[in-house]
Amino acid sequence: MALLVPHPTQLLFFTGKGGVGKTSAACSTAIALADAGKRVLLVSTDPASNLDEVLGTELSGEPQSVSGVPGLRALNIDPEETARAYREGIIAPVRGLLPEAVVASMEEQLSGACTTEIAAFDVFSRLLGDPARTADFDHILFDTAPTGHTLRLLELPAAWSTFIETNVGGNSCLGPLSGLSAQRGLYEAAQAALRDTGRTTLVLVARPDDASLREAERTRIELAHLGLRQVHLILNGLFRAMGSSDLIAAELQAREAQALDHLPEGLRELPRTTVPLLPYGLVGLGALRSMGGEKGSPRIEAAGEAVDPSRFDTLEALADRLVAQGKGVVMTMGKGGVGKTTLAARLALRLAGAGFPVTLTTTDPAAHVEAAAPVRPPTLRVTRIDPERVTERYRAEVLAAAAPDLDAPGRALLEEDLRSPCTEEIAVFRAFAETVAQGREGFVIIDTAPTGHTLLLLDAAEAYHREVLRQSSDAPEAVRQLLPRLRDAAFTRILLVTLPEATPIHEAMQLEGDLARAGIRPFAWVVNQSLTPLAVTDPVLKARRAQEARFLNELLRHTSSIVLEPLACVPADPVLSPGVHP
């Protein structure tokens, strides 16, 4: 079995735009190394990890042996569990010593997404900076969250080290700074490991399409700015048509060839591995070994009963239902790479074209909604929640409000505290609340970050809402009303976006359950990039279409409101046209 990364260093980070195959590439590489006799640890830093399903092994926050692959162990950094352990580590020493009300206040203060972020990062840093944690392994592979959040993760060592160094106070939004200061050496060791080209390789995974390659180039540039220059490129899912009679196959191959002809120069210079589009999903050890070039095909499960495309709704019908509402918030949610941004842009253009005032925005650091709607009517406004801009605005507001009551030392202390990375969490959260509030006057279409990070945002909404109700403070009205608005099905309509494959559908089902526990229910499902409505004859495309039937039937048994969008083999018309319809 060939290695997707021919000369692997001790540490390998797999990153890229959502849906490009990071998990498959990381798992395939880990299996190949273990099959070669290496001791390997595979770690997911993605809050929406699907390592369990791909490897067929139930994982936890501790390394677990992977059945069928001696030498390979894997773990998920579970955000909720790591946050719980982090909170307990801070609160346990004072429980019973401080009044219950004070302890309860500390617990509430440590319930936000920022605590979750630093707690997960603490585990991540130990794997990088503490040799004792990794002494039993020859290679450690990280299957990371989609690009924007991976970059945030890699920036954190410097952000927290700088904050600890410059903050002279005794507390932060994460509790006593003495605990963080004790970790400073660990964070610095993590930084050093990331920049050591002899130890660390960043593996950029991309599909052969323009959007994925642009994202990969942006990531390469940002990684270079962080001092991370040992990069390998994997081009995943390259399609080669068999014959010329299938027009869809020919269009798909031509589109990919055009994208590769315009491959950015920075990517062109990287060492590269190309993986062909396979006629089956990359779930299970056999499929993962075949991704690395092992001869022979894995066993493909029966496709199941054929699906009648007429059983599904159309995107036009979904848009008409939204038009009838006249205003409100529409949020696209789902696993990375399922087409949330494109769907959000198409709906925004449709609603704006009908004469409604529409704001199209995103909470995803890696999304570029402007590119998804380059030509737009005057009724459409395209924005994004820019963390840097909203954080500066928030800092200025807090300082202005506190200025009359602060002396010079007090102001200096407040300024230091506002330099904490936690400040960004609060600022982005408030900007999100203000954006949702705009749904009272027109349509707001929100392209959300991938699943796990969206849930962290919603968890923050609930935590902040509890705090607002408890304190009856001067929180802005938009913040007070955020959770009730998200729960109001007449105000906020959630679209669960997925692909006709096992992992995206099962992850979206899990997301639906998580939303239900928060009192939020989806408006509709959208299955993107389906071959089922198309007449294909190419053997690879026919095999993949047959595989869709099993998962589409599973979804039809689960819910009734489903839109089925065909694979778009040529650039779609900006307003709802799904692409090729032979």
Side-chain angles (χ1 to χ4, degrees):
M1 180 177 172
L3 280 168
L4 297 179
V5 184
H7 305 289
T9 51
Q10 181 195 20
L11 303 173
L12 296 167
F13 283 83
F14 290 77
T15 188
K17 184 177 170 64
V20 295
K22 295 184 300 294
T23 298
S24 302
C27 289
S28 176
T29 304
I31 291 169
L33 287 168
D35 286 348
K38 302 295 184 180
R39 301 167 301 166
V40 182
L41 176 64
L42 177 58
V43 181
S44 175
T45 67
D46 190 343
S49 171
N50 62 321
L51 271 186
D52 302 62
E53 182 170 18
V54 173
L55 291 173
T57 299
E58 186 174 347
L59 302 178
S60 69
E62 295 296 326
Q64 304 290 322
S65 297
V66 176
S67 177
V69 192
L72 175 59
R73 306 185 79 186
L75 67 87
N76 285 322
I77 297 180
D78 184 307
E80 292 184 6
E81 177 58 29
T82 53
R84 186 204 63 76
Y86 185 91
R87 282 193 297 269
E88 186 61 20
I90 292 175
I91 293 170
V94 299
R95 189 176 282 117
L97 301 177
L98 296 177
E100 289 186 9
V102 174
V103 173
S105 178
M106 291 177 65
E107 290 176 335
E108 194 70 42
Q109 185 181 19
L110 292 168
S111 64
C114 188
T115 303
T116 303
E117 179 182 67
I118 193 64
F121 174 68
D122 196 63
V123 177
F124 167 78
S125 292
R126 289 182 187 280
L127 292 171
L128 285 178
D130 183 355
R133 289 291 301 271
T134 56
D136 294 336
F137 300 101
D138 300 307
H139 297 279
I140 304 164
L141 284 69
F142 293 87
D143 171 33
T144 70
T147 308
H149 299 285
T150 299
L151 290 170
R152 169 70 175 158
L153 186 72
L154 298 179
E155 288 170 350
L156 276 172
W160 281 106
S161 293
T162 300
F163 177 63
I164 293 167
E165 182 179 357
T166 58
N167 195 310
V168 297
N171 290 280
S172 77
C173 53
L174 296 176
L177 273 177
S178 57
L180 287 178
S181 297
Q183 302 297 89
R184 182 176 171 185
L186 181 66
Y187 295 169
E188 290 174 345
Q191 282 181 272
L194 287 170
R195 289 175 168 82
D196 185 346
T197 57
R199 288 188 64 196
T200 301
T201 301
L202 275 293
V203 183
L204 272 180
V205 186
R207 295 278 186 182
D209 65 70
D210 288 331
S212 178
L213 294 173
R214 284 195 303 269
E215 179 70 22
E217 174 63 1
R218 281 192 293 266
T219 304
R220 185 197 64 78
I221 293 170
E222 293 189 58
L223 291 172
H225 289 160
L226 293 173
L228 309 175
R229 302 178 185 278
Q230 178 89 347
V231 182
H232 185 91
L233 175 65
I234 293 178
L235 277 177
N236 186 33
L238 187 67
F239 177 69
R240 287 291 177 262
M242 298 183 186
S244 57
S245 60
D246 189 330
L247 296 180
I248 292 172
E251 290 283 1
L252 184 57
Q253 179 172 310
R255 183 181 67 174
E256 292 186 356
Q258 183 179 32
L260 293 178
D261 284 343
H262 295 89
L263 188 68
E265 190 62 32
L267 295 182
R268 197 180 298 276
E269 294 174 354
L270 296 177
R272 183 195 315 174
T273 303
T274 300
V275 180
L277 181 69
L278 299 172
Y280 39 78
L282 288 166
V283 176
L285 301 183
L288 293 167
R289 285 189 168 105
S290 72
M291 185 183 186
E294 185 175 274
K295 294 187 180 299
S297 297
R299 183 178 64 86
I300 301 175
E301 296 188 34
E305 184 182 352
V307 181
D308 181 0
S310 67
R311 298 180 64 185
F312 299 90
D313 292 335
T314 65
L315 193 59
E316 181 66 37
L318 174 64
D320 288 344
R321 291 167 63 190
L322 295 173
V323 165
Q325 301 294 325
K327 62 181 179 180
V329 174
V330 179
M331 296 177 66
T332 57
M333 292 187 179
K335 179 179 170 64
V338 296
K340 297 185 298 293
T341 303
T342 302
L343 176 68
R346 291 168 66 192
L347 287 173
L349 286 165
R350 169 69 172 83
L351 296 172
F356 296 99
V358 179
T359 297
L360 171 63
T361 191
T362 183
T363 65
D364 187 350
H368 297 270
V369 290
E370 298 91 346
V375 180
R376 59 192 76 130
T379 50
L380 175 59
R381 186 170 68 103
V382 179
T383 68
R384 66 184 298 266
I385 297 176
D386 184 321
E388 185 174 337
R389 185 178 61 82
V390 299
T391 302
E392 282 306 311
R393 187 186 71 178
Y394 175 72
R395 287 190 182 112
E397 289 177 2
V398 172
L399 286 170
D405 302 318
L406 293 178
D407 56 15
R411 181 181 177 86
L413 187 61
L414 178 58
E415 288 176 341
E416 286 178 352
D417 194 51
L418 288 172
R419 285 195 290 269
S420 160
C422 293
T423 302
E424 182 179 303
E425 174 212 342
I426 299 169
V428 170
F429 174 82
R430 286 185 50 167
F432 174 64
E434 292 166 358
T435 300
V436 168
Q438 294 171 23
R440 295 172 300 169
E441 309 299 331
F443 281 106
V444 178
I445 314 295
I446 303 176
D447 165 41
T448 71
T451 307
H453 298 282
T454 298
L455 288 175
L456 291 181
L457 183 65
L458 296 179
D459 284 346
E462 189 145 20
Y464 276 97
H465 186 67
R466 288 196 306 267
E467 182 69 5
V468 165
L469 293 179
R470 187 177 68 81
Q471 292 185 354
S472 298
S473 64
D474 295 328
E477 182 67 12
V479 172
R480 291 173 174 273
Q481 294 299 320
L482 176 60
L483 198 58
R485 284 172 176 151
L486 294 177
R487 287 172 170 163
D488 183 355
F491 186 88
T492 300
R493 295 162 189 87
I494 305 295
L495 302 181
L496 291 182
V497 189
T498 187
L499 298 176
E501 301 170 10
T503 297
I505 284 180
H506 294 159
E507 185 172 304
M509 288 179 176
Q510 294 172 359
L511 170 59
E512 184 180 41
D514 291 331
L515 292 172
R517 285 190 287 276
I520 302 169
R521 302 195 178 278
F523 180 69
W525 284 65
V526 179
V527 181
N528 253 336
Q529 301 295 321
S530 174
L531 288 162
T532 293
L534 304 178
V536 294
T537 58
D538 183 273
V540 171
L541 298 185
K542 281 183 67 176
R544 292 184 70 89
R545 184 181 63 182
Q547 290 295 301
E548 290 183 8
R550 174 187 171 200
F551 306 114
L552 291 176
N553 279 318
E554 181 182 359
L555 188 55
L556 282 167
R557 291 190 294 269
H558 177 76
T559 186
S560 58
S561 182
I562 310 171
V563 171
L564 189 65
E565 274 293 282
L567 175 72
C569 295
V570 296
D573 181 90
V575 185
L576 296 184
S577 171
V580 169
H581 280 276

